[in-house]
Amino acid sequence: MSMDWATFGLDLHVELDSTSGRRSALESALRESIRDGRLAAQTRLPSTRALAAELDLARGTVSAAYDQLIAEGYLTARTGSGTYVTGLVRAVARPARAVDTSGPAAGPRYDLRPGSPDVTSFPTAAWLRATRRALAEAPMAAYDYGDPRGRIELRTALASYLGRVRGVAATPDRIVVTSGAVQALSLLAGVIGRTAGARIAMEDPGLAFHREVVRRNHVDVMALEVDDRGARTDLLLTSDFTAVRAVVVTASHQYPTGVPLHPQRRDTAAEWARSREGLIIEDDYDGEFRYDRQPIGALQGTAPEQVAYLGTVSKTLGPALRLGWLVLPERLIEPVVEAKRYTDLHTESIGQLALADLITSHAYDRHVRSCRLRYRSRRDLLTGRLEPHAGQRLTLRGIPAGLHAWIDLPAAGPSEHDVLVAGTARGLALGYLSSHWHDPDGRPQGIIVGFGTPSESTYPIALDTLNHVLRRLTLRR
Amino acid sequence: MSMDWATFGLDLHVELDSTSGRRSALESALRESIRDGRLAAQTRLPSTRALAAELDLARGTVSAAYDQLIAEGYLTARTGSGTYVTGLVRAVARPARAVDTSGPAAGPRYDLRPGSPDVTSFPTAAWLRATRRALAEAPMAAYDYGDPRGRIELRTALASYLGRVRGVAATPDRIVVTSGAVQALSLLAGVIGRTAGARIAMEDPGLAFHREVVRRNHVDVMALEVDDRGARTDLLLTSDFTAVRAVVVTASHQYPTGVPLHPQRRDTAAEWARSREGLIIEDDYDGEFRYDRQPIGALQGTAPEQVAYLGTVSKTLGPALRLGWLVLPERLIEPVVEAKRYTDLHTESIGQLALADLITSHAYDRHVRSCRLRYRSRRDLLTGRLEPHAGQRLTLRGIPAGLHAWIDLPAAGPSEHDVLVAGTARGLALGYLSSHWHDPDGRPQGIIVGFGTPSESTYPIALDTLNHVLRRLTLRR
């Protein structure tokens, strides 16, 4: 079955292939059309009712497809006026940046989208040395199938490193090495999802991609409000959250608002987990990067039987390595290990051995330290540049930490769309707050600046461009 | 809730943790008890009725746990006499060899279990050279998040290599690089499983671990008989198989029987797929290793829109790399890519770049060629050694290919258990046919010899030991 949307003024051909499901086919058609520009930014889509009638689908199928694409950031719903193509597609996809960057004309000139570190600082020579050394020392069994938890060399190195640097209570047998943080979250969601009706609470705003990772494991997601003390874990004890079996928190540095979880909120979370047999999933994605003081230790350290701690090298070394880890409560070791085993047996071993060598030789610490200095001065530069606007309509929010900052856009100021248009014209890409809300209707807008992403040489120019765009917009209004 | 099994003469303590599910808790307790020897080989378990009553569980829960462990090879059901611990645990776990091999006293002295190549032949120097070269040439974007399908360098190299060596009709955009073959199968099963009630037919006998990978994606598995022409794909057109949406075949060299899929059976499979919109999953796990002639091209080459082709470096380079690939029909690209994206974004990039370099520089071909020579002479040696028994009760089956051979054990000869006991006493580990049947009741027994596994220096002694064990057993009977 196929359908042309010319009737809606949209030149869109949808093949509703029965094999992969109608909802999925509709999603794919829309996704591709948005990607390749057939559906341009700000295009208004037909109402779910009209499209359902035209395609002979259930209205629920169309709604579900729209919701999916809203979650993924392709579409946006505006109260009372329908569903639109966001035009933020490249920007929104960025935190999960799973797009082909290998082709020509890969990205924007000035990339201030959050999600990646400065990949030009990857320590290639140190990595190669570590690989060579690790392979020279590895037992032959390291080349064979291995433990689903990962190499013992890496788990031993991580247990000590995480204890020292992040205050994590870890022993090698509680650690499962994963192929990045996304897989770690997916494995946990899969285990939680075995209990029928179980839900996972996730921060609102938060990373839309992670919500979809959870949903793909047949687990419903509940929005957990974030305020200036971080996630409102106090709400977990209310009746609305009865079906919640786990909560995902970015405790050290909330993504994207940049606030740390208040000590009282930490206690409440642990208390909830203890009294309700709940699980706290602590996503410590950038815990190494705090610029004003020593980072606060992981929540896991105080409640190791209540917290599944999730870490990654994506922000310290680079996302391409796809190396992450879980530190698990006793009761979750077996189910997570089994899930990992049946997913991909184990994470590849050579990278694990190289990372273990990098950590035990302290080359990893040195690299993190030098990144920290660099990112701190980048954030200082950003703050300095934005101050002239601060008195007007723009405020830089969050603590000095991590690789991103949130700039508030009050209702009276320029909108995300204004910034997008002005930025795109100058080759500037940014992150936007609206794609992070569970439901963006009536929620504040804002810009998320990924100051870690550009190379050292590009960053000052990217910042000039951002400054120019914001100054023009704020002066004009 | 916890329970001691002393009442059944079993010293087994089961913690029925409600969080992870009762069935799962029971399975874990049994699995661990078998692994650490508390439940010894040949121990008879309580009946499902008796155990259910004792633990206050539904009888179905206990049955399901037993079935699971039978599927995994921990237990075996003997008609009319109950359920027993197989005693083949280490042997059975081997094809998926996802056990900790890092500790001391890792394995048996002579390891003839199937599933791994000779890992001592891993080309460490060539791999390091390829890594260094690849990193020197890679664009900076290679260190960032990438395409869920994998690096374009590797997909381009694979498209050409697979066309040349395996007759696969591949273009880079149809290839998805996966973290090993297990993940590839899991992704496909997940996509098939989106259609409610969809089933996957799998060869009987076949790899039990793969059946469990499919089941974990909420897809029922149907047994597809294997005879001396390979999988009985003719049965797919019968009414029993109506709900089957995909069939997994090891077409070049059936695992474990070692027969190739007969041309007529290939045609029937393609015809079924075309007429029923079915999918053939071609698991080409050892297609490079044929010793008497040029390998037969992949089934995929003749039916690219009907076949998802699955390959891996696990048998050519080594399982530790966790690198595999799918070549997909057009209609499956989008759903598989999306599944991969939400599972782990993409497979790590550095290993992909190294493999791409290894393939394009032809170092991969050279390595495969030298392995082929070595494995061929190993198989010849095995055949020569077994011939004296052949007239008696043992027959070597299957074509000269791959890294394993199946030795028939007729009902009148020694049993798997006899071989296990005699082998274990001499430090010899083997694979056994019984763990490969969907339901081992009344099915033939046999030995699966993994002649690729030992190092070059150990192999002759391992073979002497096998020979000695079999000779003693066949003479005695």
Side-chain angles (χ1 to χ4, degrees):
Chain A
M1 174 196 176
S2 78
M3 180 61 211
D4 277 86
W5 280 9
T7 34
F8 295 103
L10 301 174
D11 178 23
L12 181 67
H13 185 78
V14 190
E15 282 287 345
L16 291 180
D17 177 340
S18 64
T19 318
S20 58
R22 287 158 163 240
R23 172 185 152 181
S24 156
L26 180 58
E27 285 170 19
S28 302
L30 287 168
R31 221 181 263 118
E32 274 163 33
S33 304
I34 295 169
R35 278 195 199 129
D36 65 23
R38 272 176 293 155
L39 275 180
Q42 313 312 329
T43 305
R44 187 179 172 196
L45 293 190
S47 73
T48 54
R49 188 191 309 268
L51 186 57
E54 192 65 40
L55 296 176
D56 195 22
L57 292 173
R59 194 178 167 192
T61 306
V62 177
S63 297
Y66 279 18
D67 287 348
Q68 169 72 19
L69 295 174
I70 288 169
E72 293 178 19
Y74 289 92
L75 300 180
T76 182
R78 299 189 196 146
T79 317
S81 78
T83 308
Y84 291 78
V85 177
T86 52
L88 304 177
V89 170
R90 296 195 61 91
V92 168
R94 193 61 186 285
R97 214 111 46 112
V99 291
D100 196 336
T101 51
S102 56
R109 213 158 2 131
Y110 306 116
D111 194 351
L112 291 176
R113 293 175 294 185
S116 290
D118 172 6
V119 294
T120 65
S121 73
F122 182 81
T124 309
W127 184 260
L128 282 169
R129 267 197 309 275
T131 307
R132 193 168 45 243
R133 226 165 19 219
L135 289 188
E137 284 165 20
M140 283 322 302
Y143 295 94
D144 207 340
Y145 290 105
D147 190 318
R149 290 173 299 178
R151 291 297 309 171
I152 185 68
E153 295 89 340
L154 179 56
R155 289 186 286 121
T156 306
L158 281 173
S160 143
Y161 172 80
L162 294 174
R164 177 164 57 82
V165 171
R166 301 294 301 124
V168 172
T171 49
D173 59 299
R174 281 173 174 251
I175 295 178
V176 175
V177 177
T178 62
S179 302
V182 166
Q183 183 181 59
L185 180 60
S186 180
L187 292 173
L188 288 172
V191 169
I192 301 288
R194 285 202 225 156
T195 308
R199 293 178 169 198
I200 295 186
M202 298 180 81
E203 295 171 334
D204 185 18
L207 196 58
F209 187 80
H210 281 185
R211 296 197 286 274
E212 187 54 24
V213 168
V214 168
R215 287 195 193 104
R216 289 231 162 193
N217 283 284
H218 313 285
V219 178
D220 281 341
V221 170
M222 281 195 73
L224 185 63
E225 195 189 324
V226 172
D227 63 17
D228 55 5
R229 296 179 152 204
R232 291 211 39 204
T233 53
D234 52 311
L235 296 175
L236 294 173
L237 292 156
T238 64
S239 59
D240 282 356
F241 288 82
T242 310
V244 166
R245 305 306 319 129
V247 59
V248 184
V249 288
T250 46
S252 312
H253 187 223
Q254 205 274 331
Y255 185 83
T257 65
V259 298
L261 190 61
H262 190 275
Q264 221 162 57
R265 295 274 172 83
R266 288 182 163 228
D267 289 351
T268 316
E271 185 193 319
W272 163 79
R274 273 188 205 100
S275 63
R276 305 283 172 93
E277 292 187 9
L279 176 71
I280 301 163
I281 300 173
E282 181 176 20
D283 179 3
D284 198 33
Y285 65 108
D286 67 358
E288 281 94 347
F289 297 127
R290 176 103 193 216
Y291 310 123
D292 55 341
R293 45 164 289 169
Q294 280 298 309
I296 298 164
L299 173 53
Q300 191 271 358
T302 59
E305 291 303 340
Q306 280 68 48
V307 177
Y309 173 90
L310 196 163
T312 169
V313 300
S314 290
K315 307 296 179 272
T316 53
L317 284 170
L321 297 177
R322 310 306 309 121
L323 276 174
W325 47 83
L326 283 166
V327 184
L328 294 167
E330 183 72 32
R331 67 188 159 106
L332 281 179
I333 298 173
E334 172 84 14
V336 171
V337 167
E338 291 307 290
K340 174 70 178 163
R341 186 196 301 272
Y342 289 101
T343 298
D344 59 7
L345 289 178
H346 61 85
T347 293
E348 65 87 23
S349 304
I350 295 182
Q352 291 189 58
L353 291 169
L355 179 59
D357 182 278
L358 221 56
I359 294 173
T360 51
S361 70
H362 295 286
Y364 188 70
D365 284 273
R366 283 193 300 276
H367 176 72
V368 168
R369 210 149 46 225
S370 94
C371 291
R372 192 184 296 123
L373 288 172
R374 191 160 57 248
Y375 294 137
R376 180 167 71 182
S377 69
R378 287 192 184 195
R379 193 179 185 281
D380 289 347
L381 208 55
L382 172 66
T383 316
R385 281 305 176 87
L386 285 176
E387 260 162 17
H389 308 289
Q392 303 174 28
R393 292 185 191 88
L394 303 175
T395 321
L396 188 68
R397 306 276 290 261
I399 56 170
L403 305 178
H404 76 274
W406 163 34
I407 301 171
D408 224 3
L409 289 177
S415 69
E416 290 184 5
H417 184 247
D418 295 336
V419 178
L420 174 78
V421 170
T424 305
R426 299 184 160 267
L428 177 72
L430 294 159
Y432 294 92
L433 186 59
S434 64
S435 65
H436 294 78
W437 298 109
H438 289 236
D439 176 0
D441 263 6
R443 307 306 293 262
Q445 298 204 334
I447 305 168
I448 316 294
V449 181
F451 56 80
T453 309
S455 68
E456 277 292 274
S457 59
T458 324
Y459 183 64
I461 321 170
L463 217 49
D464 281 347
T465 312
L466 172 66
N467 192 39
H468 186 90
V469 164
L470 292 182
R471 183 178 296 273
R472 246 191 64 210
L473 288 172
T474 46
L475 290 180
R476 203 170 48 178
R477 296 244 161 184
Chain B
M1 174 196 178
S2 79
M3 179 63 211
D4 277 85
W5 280 9
T7 33
F8 295 103
L10 301 175
D11 178 23
L12 181 66
H13 185 76
V14 189
E15 282 287 346
L16 291 180
D17 176 338
S18 64
T19 317
S20 58
R22 288 160 161 236
R23 173 186 150 179
S24 158
L26 180 57
E27 285 169 20
S28 301
L30 287 168
R31 222 182 261 117
E32 275 162 31
S33 305
I34 295 169
R35 277 195 200 126
D36 65 24
R38 272 176 294 155
L39 275 179
Q42 313 311 330
T43 305
R44 186 179 171 194
L45 294 190
S47 71
T48 54
R49 188 190 310 268
L51 186 57
E54 193 65 40
L55 296 176
D56 195 23
L57 292 171
R59 194 178 167 195
T61 306
V62 177
S63 297
Y66 279 18
D67 286 349
Q68 169 74 19
L69 295 173
I70 288 169
E72 292 178 19
Y74 289 92
L75 301 180
T76 183
R78 298 189 195 147
T79 318
S81 78
T83 307
Y84 291 79
V85 177
T86 52
L88 304 177
V89 170
R90 295 196 61 89
V92 168
R94 193 57 188 285
R97 213 111 47 114
V99 291
D100 197 335
T101 51
S102 56
R109 214 160 359 135
Y110 307 116
D111 194 350
L112 292 175
R113 293 175 294 184
S116 289
D118 171 7
V119 293
T120 64
S121 72
F122 182 81
T124 309
W127 185 260
L128 282 169
R129 267 197 309 275
T131 306
R132 191 167 48 243
R133 224 163 23 216
L135 289 187
E137 284 165 20
M140 283 323 302
Y143 296 95
D144 206 340
Y145 292 105
D147 190 319
R149 290 173 298 180
R151 291 298 307 171
I152 185 67
E153 295 90 339
L154 179 56
R155 289 185 285 123
T156 306
L158 280 173
S160 143
Y161 172 81
L162 294 173
R164 177 165 56 82
V165 171
R166 303 293 302 126
V168 172
T171 51
D173 58 300
R174 280 172 174 251
I175 295 179
V176 175
V177 177
T178 62
S179 302
V182 165
Q183 183 181 59
L185 180 61
S186 180
L187 291 174
L188 288 173
V191 169
I192 300 288
R194 286 203 224 157
T195 308
R199 294 179 168 196
I200 295 185
M202 299 181 80
E203 294 170 335
D204 185 18
L207 196 57
F209 186 80
H210 282 184
R211 297 196 286 272
E212 187 54 23
V213 168
V214 168
R215 286 194 193 105
R216 289 229 162 194
N217 283 284
H218 314 286
V219 178
D220 281 340
V221 170
M222 282 195 71
L224 184 64
E225 195 189 323
V226 172
D227 63 17
D228 55 6
R229 296 180 151 204
R232 290 211 40 204
T233 52
D234 52 310
L235 296 175
L236 293 173
L237 292 157
T238 64
S239 60
D240 283 356
F241 288 83
T242 309
V244 166
R245 305 305 321 130
V247 58
V248 184
V249 288
T250 46
S252 313
H253 187 221
Q254 205 275 330
Y255 186 83
T257 64
V259 298
L261 191 61
H262 190 275
Q264 223 161 56
R265 295 273 172 83
R266 288 181 162 228
D267 289 351
T268 316
E271 185 192 318
W272 163 80
R274 273 190 204 101
S275 63
R276 306 282 172 92
E277 292 187 9
L279 176 71
I280 301 164
I281 300 173
E282 180 175 18
D283 179 3
D284 198 32
Y285 65 106
D286 68 357
E288 281 94 348
F289 296 128
R290 175 101 192 218
Y291 310 123
D292 55 339
R293 45 163 289 168
Q294 281 298 310
I296 298 164
L299 174 52
Q300 191 271 359
T302 59
E305 291 303 340
Q306 280 70 47
V307 177
Y309 173 90
L310 198 163
T312 168
V313 301
S314 290
K315 308 294 179 275
T316 53
L317 285 170
L321 297 177
R322 311 305 311 122
L323 277 174
W325 48 82
L326 283 167
V327 184
L328 294 167
E330 183 73 31
R331 68 187 158 107
L332 281 179
I333 298 173
E334 172 84 15
V336 170
V337 167
E338 291 307 291
K340 174 72 179 163
R341 186 197 302 272
Y342 288 101
T343 298
D344 60 6
L345 288 179
H346 62 84
T347 294
E348 64 88 22
S349 304
I350 296 182
Q352 292 189 58
L353 291 169
L355 179 59
D357 182 279
L358 221 55
I359 294 174
T360 51
S361 69
H362 296 286
Y364 188 69
D365 285 272
R366 283 193 299 274
H367 177 71
V368 169
R369 212 152 43 227
S370 94
C371 290
R372 193 184 296 124
L373 288 172
R374 192 159 57 248
Y375 293 138
R376 180 168 72 182
S377 68
R378 287 193 185 194
R379 193 179 185 281
D380 289 346
L381 208 54
L382 172 66
T383 317
R385 281 304 176 85
L386 285 177
E387 260 163 17
H389 309 290
Q392 302 175 28
R393 292 185 191 88
L394 303 175
T395 321
L396 187 67
R397 307 277 289 261
I399 55 169
L403 306 179
H404 76 273
W406 164 32
I407 301 171
D408 224 4
L409 288 177
S415 70
E416 289 183 6
H417 184 248
D418 295 335
V419 179
L420 175 79
V421 169
T424 306
R426 299 183 160 265
L428 177 72
L430 295 159
Y432 294 92
L433 185 59
S434 64
S435 66
H436 294 77
W437 297 108
H438 289 235
D439 175 1
D441 263 6
R443 307 305 294 263
Q445 299 204 333
I447 305 169
I448 316 294
V449 181
F451 56 81
T453 309
S455 68
E456 277 292 276
S457 58
T458 325
Y459 183 64
I461 321 170
L463 217 50
D464 281 347
T465 312
L466 172 66
N467 191 39
H468 186 91
V469 164
L470 292 182
R471 184 178 296 272
R472 247 189 64 211
L473 288 171
T474 47
L475 289 181
R476 203 167 50 176
R477 295 244 162 183

